[in-house]
């Protein structure tokens, strides 16, 4: 992937490439971190990384899984920091986002169950179920094989919903 | 409802609006990235020297810890080889006094000594006994070993009524099993304010990872330095005592001094 020569052209190309990925990146970060401010920080940090490294990418088709992988990595680092842990533990369900809708018990339970998963398991289920990514693209984000990702997904579903039939869950 | 739909409902209902987010993030990146890039290049250049400094610090800390442990061991070894001297003649005369501790039936209530208000002579308010030596409650269950239970307690001495050497012997009144004394783990003999384990050596026990010699008695020498109390207050001596697993925990102390004999009973 080659950028144009001038700064203006380079900036425009960067905005065109990365712009559409910011929103899914934010949704991924929000589901991973459960904190809107921390999620935006993670996406912003991922965007800085993208700015530095995007010129080295040869395959434009791999940009989305690559960028989401960077976001996931920023989320992992963010959760290691104590301040994020404190924020997340304190407000796990309502987040820092005002919502006019009443939060359903089912949604609360699911968010709580997802939060209890390990980082890699949580990443797979969020990408698959929330970002609606196909399994091979999920595998590209997590940098593992499709088979290993499938196994991780099945395992995580069992942890989330032990009573649910797998085929039903995968619909 | 499928799990996928559940996911969307669960996370969408708490997700804020993302309107303008994309432009904001991209514009921030374009505005700040060049400056950050310069800083990061500088940081990258500094990373190797900083890593080296960190590694050297780590090595220095490890070496310091090793030297510290070694010094502590040497100091303890030296101290053990040079225990504080006590007046052996006086000690023998106190040891010659027979034990008069009562036996209490295993199903009887432990006859714990009365509490005395000693608040005028230090920070403690009430302690067991009628004096001139008073005992704190047993601060037990500090640790348990295969042999028994270990913990600490304090003895406060009314130095207006007695001074010099004081011999402490203890046993579990309901099982007649002897309680034993040892050094506080990682403490050297004769540390200010500590009682001195003495008398017959009755074995070893590994307490908090340290192999300790066990003694049948403890000696308090009020002429030795002590810490933790002001000059006008009665001194406090700290003791480290253990009793066997099978003991009931009704501990009787026979405390003999030059001019008195006292019994104090406490319950663990």
């Amino acid at each position: 992937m080659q950028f144009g020569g001038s700064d203006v052209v380079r900036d425009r190309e960067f905005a065109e490439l990365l712009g559409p990925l910011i929103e899914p990146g934010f949704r991924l970060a929000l589901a991973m971190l459960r904190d809107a401010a921390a999620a935006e920080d993670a996406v912003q940090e991922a965007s800085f990384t993208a700015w530095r490294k995007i010129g080295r990418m040869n395959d434009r088709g791999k940009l989305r899984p690559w960028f989401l992988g960077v976001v996931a990595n920023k989320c992992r680092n963010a959760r290691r920091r104590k301040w994020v842990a404190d924020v997340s533990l304190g407000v796990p369900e309502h987040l820092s986002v005002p919502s006019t809708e009443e939060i359903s018990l089912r949604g609360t339970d699911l968010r709580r169950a997802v939060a209890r998963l390990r980082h890699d398991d949580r990443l797979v289920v969020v990408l698959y179920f929330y970002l609606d990514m196909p399994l091979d693209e999920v595998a590209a984000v997590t940098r593992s094989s499709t088979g290993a990702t499938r196994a991780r997904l099945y395992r995580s579903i069992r942890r989330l919903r032990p009573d649910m039939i797998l085929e039903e869950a995968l619909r | 409802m499928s799990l996928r739909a559940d996911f969307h409902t669960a996370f969408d209902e708490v997700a804020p609006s993302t309107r303008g987010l994309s432009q904001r993030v991209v514009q921030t990146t374009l505005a700040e990235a060049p400056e950050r890039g310069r800083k990061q290049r500088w940081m990258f250049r500094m990373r190797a020297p900083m890593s080296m400094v960190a590694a050297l610090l780590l090595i220095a800390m490890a070496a310091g810890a090793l030297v510290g442990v070694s010094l502590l061991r040497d100091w303890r070894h030296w101290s053990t080889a040079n225990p504080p001297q006590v007046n052996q003649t006086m000690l023998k005369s106190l040891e010659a006094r027979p034990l008069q501790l009562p036996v209490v039936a295993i199903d009887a209530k432990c006859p714990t000594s009365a509490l005395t208000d000693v608040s005028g002579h230090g920070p403690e308010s009430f302690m067991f006994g009628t004096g001139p030596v008073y005992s704190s409650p047993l601060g037990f269950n500090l640790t348990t070993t295969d042999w028994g239970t270990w913990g600490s307690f304090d003895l406060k001495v009314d130095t207006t009524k007695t001074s010099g050497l004081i011999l402490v012997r203890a046993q579990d009144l309901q099982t007649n099993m002897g309680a034993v004394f040892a050094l506080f783990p990682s403490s050297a003999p004769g540390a200010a304010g500590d009682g001195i384990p003495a008398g017959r050596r009755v074995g070893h026990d590994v307490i908090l990872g340290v192999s300790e010699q066990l003694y049948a008695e403890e000696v308090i020498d009020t002429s030795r330095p002590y810490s933790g109390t002001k000059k006008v207050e009665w001194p406090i001596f700290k003791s480290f005592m253990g009793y066997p697993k099978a003991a009931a925990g009704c501990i009787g102390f026979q405390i003999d001094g030059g001019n008195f004999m006292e019994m104090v009973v406490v319950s663990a």
Side-chain angles (χ1 to χ4, degrees):
Chain A
M1 191 182 302
Q2 294 298 316
F3 276 136
S6 76
D7 285 354
V8 175
V9 174
R10 189 192 61 186
D11 288 357
R12 195 178 63 234
E13 286 182 4
F14 177 78
E16 283 171 1
L17 285 171
L18 204 71
L21 303 179
I22 299 299
E23 196 260 341
F26 176 74
R27 289 169 65 211
L28 169 63
L30 184 66
M32 295 297 287
L33 296 173
R34 298 187 297 154
D35 182 276
E40 187 167 338
D41 285 346
V43 174
Q44 185 65 69
E45 287 298 319
S47 180
F48 283 127
T49 302
W51 189 87
R52 284 202 316 275
K53 297 187 175 175
I54 203 166
R56 296 179 215 161
M57 288 206 68
N58 297 320
D59 187 350
R60 191 170 287 210
K62 289 180 181 171
L63 185 59
R64 180 170 126 114
W66 174 78
F67 180 70
L68 293 178
V70 175
V71 172
N73 205 32
K74 299 293 179 190
C75 292
R76 187 199 293 267
N77 292 340
R79 282 182 69 87
R80 282 181 185 146
R81 284 184 224 126
K82 189 176 181 305
W83 66 271
V84 170
D86 289 345
V87 169
S88 300
L89 287 171
V91 283
E93 307 315 331
H94 297 281
L95 307 180
S96 52
V97 183
S99 172
T100 53
E101 295 177 17
E102 195 177 328
I103 295 172
S104 71
L105 187 61
R106 195 182 177 90
T108 304
D109 287 346
L110 182 59
R111 288 195 299 275
R112 196 174 286 157
V114 170
R116 277 199 292 265
L117 293 175
R118 290 187 310 182
H119 174 88
D120 292 340
D121 297 345
R122 190 163 62 245
L123 179 60
V124 167
V125 295
V126 168
L127 291 169
Y128 186 81
F129 287 117
Y130 189 41
L131 269 64
D132 299 319
M133 290 174 74
L135 208 54
D136 55 346
E137 206 175 351
V138 175
V141 175
T142 57
R143 292 177 191 171
S144 54
S145 70
T146 306
T149 306
R150 183 184 291 110
R152 187 180 288 280
L153 179 66
Y154 289 0
R155 208 165 48 236
S156 304
I157 291 170
R158 285 207 185 89
R159 288 198 184 114
L160 285 175
R161 295 276 165 87
D163 302 331
M164 195 171 224
I165 299 162
L166 212 51
E167 290 73 22
E168 188 187 334
L170 293 170
R171 274 196 309 217
Chain B
M1 203 173 186
S2 70
L3 187 54
R4 190 180 298 279
D6 281 349
F7 259 83
H8 280 271
T9 306
F11 287 101
D12 285 344
E13 70 188 359
V14 292
S17 164
T18 54
R19 181 179 292 181
L21 175 71
S22 179
Q23 288 83 353
R24 194 164 65 244
V25 170
V26 169
Q27 288 308 316
T28 304
T29 305
L30 294 175
E32 296 181 13
E35 180 60 25
R36 285 171 65 105
R38 274 192 290 278
K39 278 184 187 164
Q40 288 202 336
R41 274 195 293 279
W42 182 83
M43 282 299 292
F44 183 75
R45 277 198 294 272
M46 288 299 292
R47 197 172 290 165
M50 283 165 73
S51 302
M52 197 171 287
V53 168
L56 286 173
L57 269 175
L58 208 62
I59 290 167
M61 283 167 68
L66 281 174
V67 170
V69 167
S70 172
L71 283 175
L72 184 69
R73 196 180 295 134
D74 288 350
W75 169 67
R76 188 174 162 83
H77 179 75
W78 180 86
S79 304
T80 307
N82 300 276
Q85 298 300 308
V86 293
N87 182 330
Q88 290 296 319
T89 309
M90 179 69 182
L91 179 59
K92 295 288 176 205
S93 75
L94 294 175
E95 284 176 334
R97 294 185 191 172
L99 269 178
Q100 297 178 41
L101 289 166
V103 176
V104 177
I106 193 75
D107 53 351
K109 190 182 174 192
C110 183
T112 310
S113 294
L115 286 163
T116 301
D117 184 357
V118 293
S119 57
H121 310 283
E124 300 78 13
S125 49
F126 288 91
M127 296 185 84
F128 292 102
T130 52
V133 178
Y134 304 87
S135 171
S136 71
L138 296 181
F140 260 79
N141 297 319
L142 175 69
T143 184
T144 53
T145 65
D146 289 341
W147 175 77
T149 306
W150 287 92
S152 64
F153 67 100
D154 296 338
L155 291 173
K156 192 177 188 77
V157 182
D158 178 355
T159 43
T160 63
K161 291 186 179 161
T162 191
S163 61
L165 223 55
I166 296 169
L167 176 67
V168 182
R169 291 172 283 184
Q171 70 181 39
D172 183 66
L173 300 182
Q174 288 174 311
T175 61
N176 218 22
M177 291 175 157
V180 296
F181 299 88
L183 287 176
F184 282 90
S186 303
S187 174
D194 285 0
I196 305 162
R200 191 165 46 90
R201 298 180 177 204
V202 291
H204 282 84
D205 195 12
V206 178
I207 308 163
L208 298 172
V210 180
S211 178
E212 293 289 354
Q213 176 75 57
L214 311 184
Y215 296 84
E217 307 164 354
E218 177 153 89
V219 170
I220 288 171
D221 186 351
T222 59
S223 66
R224 285 183 47 76
Y226 49 85
S227 61
T229 51
K230 298 172 189 165
K231 288 275 180 196
V232 291
E233 295 172 347
W234 293 346
I236 283 180
F237 294 90
K238 297 182 181 305
S239 301
F240 192 60
M241 189 183 79
Y243 59 82
K245 268 183 179 170
C250 178
I251 306 295
F253 295 107
Q254 179 167 325
I255 305 171
D256 292 283
N259 58 347
F260 75 96
M261 192 282 279
E262 181 189 355
M263 275 188 252
V264 180
V265 180
V266 291
S267 185

